[in-house]
Amino acid sequence: MASASPFRIVHTVCSHDCPDSCAVLVTVNEEGRAVKVQGDPSHPITQGFLCGKVAKYLDRVYAPDRILYPLKRRAGVPKGPLLRGREHEAFERVGWDEALDAIAARLQQVSDQYGSESILPYSYAGTMGVLGYGSMDRRFFHRLGASRLDRTICAEAGGQAWTSVYGKKLSTPTEDFALAKLVIAWGANIHGNNVHLWPYVEQARRKGARLIVIDPYRTRTAALADWHIAIRPGTDVALALGLMHVILREGLEDRAYIERMTHGFEQLAERAREYTPERVAAWTGMTAAEIEQLAREYATTRPAVIRMNYGMQRSENGGAAIRAVAMLPVLTGAWQHRGGGAQLSTSGAFAWNENALRLPDLQMSSPLGREARLVNMSALGEALESRDKRTEGQRDREGLKERLDMHALFVYNSNPAAVAPNHNAVRRGLERADLFTVVHDLFFTDTTDYADYVLPATTFLEHTDVQGAYGHYFVQLSQQAIEPPGEARSNVWLFGQLGQRMGFAEPCFRDTAEEMIAQALAIGPDGHAHNAGMEHITLDELKKQGRAPLALDHTQPFLPFASGTVPTPSGRIEFYSDKLVTSNIDPLPGFVPPIESRWGKAAAQYPLELLARKNDNYMNSTFANLPGHRKMEARHDQRLEMHPADAEARGIREGEAVRIFNDRGAMELTAMTNEHLPAGVVAARMDWAKLHPGATNINALTSERLTDIGGGATFYSTLVEVTRA
Ligand code: SF4
């Protein structure tokens, strides 16, 4: 008789902020230790492989420097950058009971003294699990009456822009890219950070498809393309309108589809007439002939698909850019062909019952008794630094004793001291001795250096969650594979415990992860299907299969915008948006040069446009502390990439130390020439600040100015000057 295997294999889901949401099989040995992670070969998108970041995941899970216990800042230790590797000296170990009681007491005191809205939660997609991202935490902060965080830093401009056209974030299925004859990766580095789309692009190319990449930077994807078009940053909207101009001038649009499906065509056509190839060439740096060639190739190739990603919308005019590019497959009718259309996000297909998960009505039981104010996370520095502008009379009416400044900050799923724009303003805010800061994380980060309490968090191997995706259409269960090391605890546990310590009597603070998954999948009490397309998915089924495809359509293939109505105000795909008019936003896409661009006034002083990029081998700031991951990024570590002409004009040679600066900040980097960058554009990659001299990073230069739509961050609208150091 064969003996039972000493190993078990557990189905989990990579929870990092990536469209692919991979199915990860974790092999666990008899001692309960994870010994292997691999991509699930049966998952149609994961296809048995993981990216380089997560293939080495056990380095992260079992890293020797993981935080294993709750920590409290030692008395008298000032807030600010701590020496890497010696952070623990600034803290003392405390038990969970002591930490939770102390945090609950301090939050209560802040709420009583300054008003509950002077407490700010700060989180983003450090975990994409539905529970870890936003469930018990939201219940807790709603019941507390804390300010609500407007989570805009990554995708809000693009999401709102796309929705203004289509009503819903649906996209061409990833698998269908294999059928395309033309793939345009527009601001999308597929090979770098959407790697499970790449095999489908390769399949298409093997059958003769062309790959065109539009990106100011020569990414890994751009280097592999048939044609790389390095337009200037922030000019995407001009290019898209230039393409429309040529398509309409040459009669290449699909009139029947436009008449059947759209709203506002005449207005758009009139707008596009202004965007002649010659004008667009002057903005983008392309030639007029190239614009015409691209327009003809796009409009006459079927199926043609555009993969756009969120980098494009991190510009002052990013909302208009996404809108304009999103309209191209409508103009050509590309949505009607399988393998055609566009992909920004598939997340709109996942109809989680968020009300049941987050319970926003708990705000009514908070000291506020109303919905709390919204604070934009893309302007954290301003929120922490600036003082409440309300008059005394207004404050009296709201029962506030003092001005409503921020007095407590609770950070989880994020590392704002590294990733938030305007790093120096954020840092000044975090340094305030009167700001009570709690951070829940796996490692000492730039942000924990400012914390009063640091609490140990779990990886996706160590808790149970459920997850959708923004690059495919599967719901997946992530089962807990191993026990958390030390005293690490999940978000659900942490905020449930804190709720109880605060004396919140509602039973929802005692819900388990499995109960919350069932709530997330549940149909509402009114019988209304919050979960259209997910009605067939149950926790039991997910436990058996690990995943379940959404029921997208009763017909195959899935062509989300080929026919029928869409959930916009007009019920049609909107070229012209009346809803934007009510927000004082141009209802048609138009090119407004960013204030921080070569066309802005500040360019006289700071003439170079900065691309403050992310690393391919980190996930924003995650993984940057791991030696194996750092090795993969070594070539670009602390480098400032410059066009040779820009370097020469400043007397800068390859390998020399340079100073990059603007009014907001400065840092020293090493010059690296790159002839593929457009002249006038420099590029550097975001890293942890504390790993470098002066404890600063590229966000010392980026601004808190917001995007035209959605109030998003504008990392790619930044002017700088560079000199020899
Ligand atoms: S980061 Fe993305 S590609 Fe890598 S394992 Fe996670 S989901 Fe997959």
Side-chain angles (χ1 to χ4, degrees):
M1 203 172 86
S3 62
S5 166
F7 300 103
R8 62 195 166 88
I9 293 177
V10 184
H11 185 280
T12 66
V13 186
C14 173
S15 66
H16 291 282
D17 189 357
C18 166
D20 301 9
S21 284
C22 286
V24 183
L25 301 179
V26 181
T27 306
V28 182
N29 71 12
E30 272 173 321
E31 284 86 49
R33 190 177 171 89
V35 292
K36 185 177 170 189
V37 292
Q38 66 181 120
D40 182 350
S42 77
H43 190 290
I45 307 297
T46 307
Q47 296 195 72
F49 74 95
L50 302 173
C51 67
K53 298 180 268 278
V54 173
K56 292 198 277 280
Y57 208 69
L58 297 183
D59 290 356
R60 175 170 160 87
V61 173
Y62 295 116
D65 53 345
R66 255 190 88 166
I67 299 167
L68 299 177
Y69 307 101
L71 300 166
K72 174 186 168 184
R73 181 171 290 271
R74 288 183 194 281
V77 176
K79 295 181 177 183
L82 296 166
L83 210 57
R84 181 78 188 133
R86 294 180 58 178
E87 294 93 338
H88 57 278
E89 293 172 12
F91 298 93
E92 59 187 282
R93 179 177 167 181
V94 290
W96 267 111
D97 280 335
E98 182 184 340
L100 291 167
D101 284 341
I103 293 166
R106 183 65 185 267
L107 293 179
Q108 188 63 59
Q109 178 249 317
V110 167
S111 175
D112 292 345
Q113 189 172 352
Y114 303 107
S116 59
E117 285 174 308
S118 65
I119 300 166
L120 181 68
Y122 190 99
S123 73
Y124 198 67
T127 172
M128 296 283 289
V130 168
L131 305 190
Y133 178 78
S135 62
M136 192 66 89
D137 54 315
R138 309 298 163 97
R139 293 179 184 182
F140 174 72
F141 290 112
H142 286 149
R143 178 65 181 79
L144 191 60
S147 287
R148 290 175 302 140
L149 187 71
D150 201 2
R151 291 174 169 81
T152 58
I153 200 161
C154 178
E156 197 59 19
Q160 286 194 24
W162 177 279
T163 308
S164 71
V165 179
Y166 293 108
K168 196 167 189 181
K169 283 198 271 182
L170 298 176
S171 291
T172 302
T174 292
E175 302 90 315
D176 286 0
F177 275 63
L179 304 171
K181 287 278 177 284
L182 173 65
V183 178
I184 298 182
W186 198 322
N189 180 10
I190 300 168
H191 197 272
N193 47 39
N194 182 195
V195 292
H196 292 84
L197 175 58
W198 186 252
Y200 293 105
V201 174
E202 278 194 318
Q203 272 185 47
R205 294 182 86 187
R206 278 198 293 274
K207 289 183 279 175
R210 269 172 50 91
L211 172 66
I212 298 175
V213 173
I214 302 170
D215 197 314
Y217 189 83
R218 192 171 178 86
T219 59
R220 269 157 45 180
T221 316
L224 293 165
D226 297 295
W227 185 11
H228 172 210
I229 303 170
I231 60 170
R232 292 173 182 148
T235 62
D236 308 83
V237 60
L239 176 55
L241 282 157
L243 299 182
M244 291 181 200
H245 177 100
V246 178
I247 289 168
L248 294 172
R249 188 184 69 193
E250 302 189 2
L252 300 174
E253 76 277 17
D254 184 335
R255 281 284 171 152
Y257 178 80
I258 290 167
E259 272 165 33
R260 187 160 48 84
M261 294 292 293
T262 72
H263 167 75
F265 172 68
E266 292 308 328
Q267 292 99 319
L268 179 72
E270 197 181 324
R271 174 64 59 89
R273 268 197 284 280
E274 301 164 23
Y275 287 80
T276 62
E278 292 70 25
R279 284 185 81 201
V280 172
W283 285 315
T284 57
M286 295 171 74
T287 65
E290 285 172 331
I291 293 161
E292 287 171 341
Q293 182 192 334
L294 179 62
R296 288 180 195 128
E297 182 170 350
Y298 173 65
T300 59
T301 308
R302 292 190 175 80
V305 67
I306 301 174
R307 176 57 163 126
M308 55 181 99
N309 215 330
Y310 286 106
M312 192 202 304
Q313 44 101 70
R314 291 182 195 134
S315 167
E316 289 172 31
N317 59 22
I322 293 284
R323 274 173 55 72
V325 177
M327 288 173 190
L328 289 169
V330 188
L331 219 53
T332 61
W335 288 108
Q336 299 164 107
H337 316 122
R338 190 168 180 203
Q343 189 181 87
L344 175 66
S345 170
T346 59
S347 64
F350 296 88
W352 306 105
N353 192 342
E354 283 186 0
N355 265 344
L357 265 186
R358 301 179 178 178
L359 300 174
D361 286 351
L362 286 171
Q363 291 173 102
M364 300 309 144
S365 312
S366 78
L368 290 176
R370 59 168 168 81
E371 194 170 63
R373 67 174 173 168
L374 262 182
V375 175
N376 191 329
M377 72 187 304
S378 299
L380 178 66
E382 190 186 308
L384 295 182
E385 271 202 307
S386 72
R387 296 303 190 231
D388 187 1
K389 309 280 192 308
R390 274 182 278 201
T391 63
E392 211 170 308
Q394 282 171 315
R395 290 203 308 278
D396 278 352
R397 278 195 295 282
E398 292 180 25
L400 293 170
K401 299 178 195 75
E402 297 189 28
R403 287 182 181 280
L404 190 52
D405 305 329
M406 287 305 170
H407 283 273
L409 178 72
F410 204 125
V411 180
Y412 55 105
N413 299 350
S414 188
N415 180 11
V419 304
N422 202 0
H423 172 78
N424 289 329
V426 172
R427 190 166 153 170
R428 286 191 295 273
L430 290 171
E431 275 169 355
R432 281 173 42 202
D434 62 335
L435 181 75
F436 177 65
T437 301
V438 180
V439 182
H440 187 222
D441 209 321
L442 280 84
F443 296 98
F444 289 113
T445 65
D446 283 330
T447 309
T448 58
D449 285 355
Y450 300 85
D452 293 282
Y453 280 87
V454 180
L455 306 174
T458 43
T459 67
F460 68 84
L461 272 61
E462 298 150 22
H463 57 241
T464 296
D465 211 325
V466 69
Q467 199 166 313
Y470 58 99
H472 62 66
Y473 292 111
F474 292 89
V475 169
Q476 300 185 84
L477 183 67
S478 192
Q479 304 250 39
Q480 181 175 345
I482 57 172
E483 287 302 314
E487 295 178 5
R489 293 291 180 268
S490 69
N491 291 358
V492 168
W493 183 91
L494 167 63
F495 290 105
Q497 284 291 318
L498 267 178
Q500 293 173 50
R501 306 271 167 159
M502 296 289 299
F504 300 157
E506 292 82 355
C508 64
F509 291 104
R510 291 182 169 75
D511 286 348
T512 64
E514 288 205 0
E515 285 166 343
M516 295 179 81
I517 291 172
Q519 291 159 12
L521 290 169
I523 291 178
D526 51 0
H528 179 68
H530 294 281
N531 60 350
M534 289 166 56
E535 297 93 336
H536 61 297
I537 302 175
T538 62
L539 178 56
D540 284 345
E541 201 53 34
L542 288 174
K543 279 185 179 169
K544 278 186 226 144
Q545 309 291 341
R547 66 171 183 271
L550 297 178
L552 292 169
D553 206 342
H554 298 296
T555 56
Q556 287 294 330
F558 179 55
L559 299 171
F561 301 111
S563 58
T565 58
V566 300
T568 57
S570 65
R572 295 173 147 248
I573 298 171
E574 296 198 347
F575 291 131
Y576 182 99
S577 168
D578 294 295
K579 201 171 159 196
L580 289 180
V581 179
T582 59
S583 310
N584 280 328
I585 296 171
D586 189 345
L588 292 164
F591 176 62
V592 179
I595 294 167
E596 289 213 32
S597 71
R598 63 188 67 209
W599 297 281
K601 265 197 230 148
Q605 195 179 358
Y606 302 116
L608 297 170
E609 294 166 330
L610 170 67
L611 295 173
R613 305 191 66 248
K614 316 288 183 207
N615 292 281
D616 288 349
N617 297 295
Y618 308 156
M619 183 66 71
N620 226 342
S621 77
T622 304
F623 300 113
N625 60 314
L626 298 173
H629 291 71
R630 291 203 72 79
K631 215 167 149 190
M632 293 195 289
E633 284 296 335
R635 192 167 162 264
H636 290 97
D637 189 20
Q638 294 301 94
R639 297 294 192 281
L640 180 73
E641 297 177 64
M642 306 182 75
H643 190 276
D646 293 323
E648 197 185 330
R650 290 162 178 79
I652 294 167
R653 285 196 304 265
E654 177 84 18
E656 274 188 336
V658 292
R659 182 168 181 271
I660 176 169
F661 60 99
N662 60 21
D663 284 345
R664 291 178 289 272
M667 68 182 300
E668 278 195 19
L669 294 167
T670 303
M672 180 181 184
T673 51
N674 178 349
E675 76 274 15
H676 299 299
L677 276 171
V681 178
V682 295
R685 302 188 181 198
M686 199 268 291
D687 197 1
W688 283 16
K690 64 183 294 164
L691 300 181
H692 303 288
T696 193
N697 76 1
I698 203 70
N699 276 322
L701 301 152
T702 57
S703 88
E704 292 181 294
R705 191 174 285 119
L706 303 176
T707 51
D708 53 351
I709 295 174
T714 56
F715 295 106
Y716 300 146
S717 294
T718 300
L719 282 174
V720 295
E721 179 55 297
V722 177
T723 58
R724 292 171 71 182

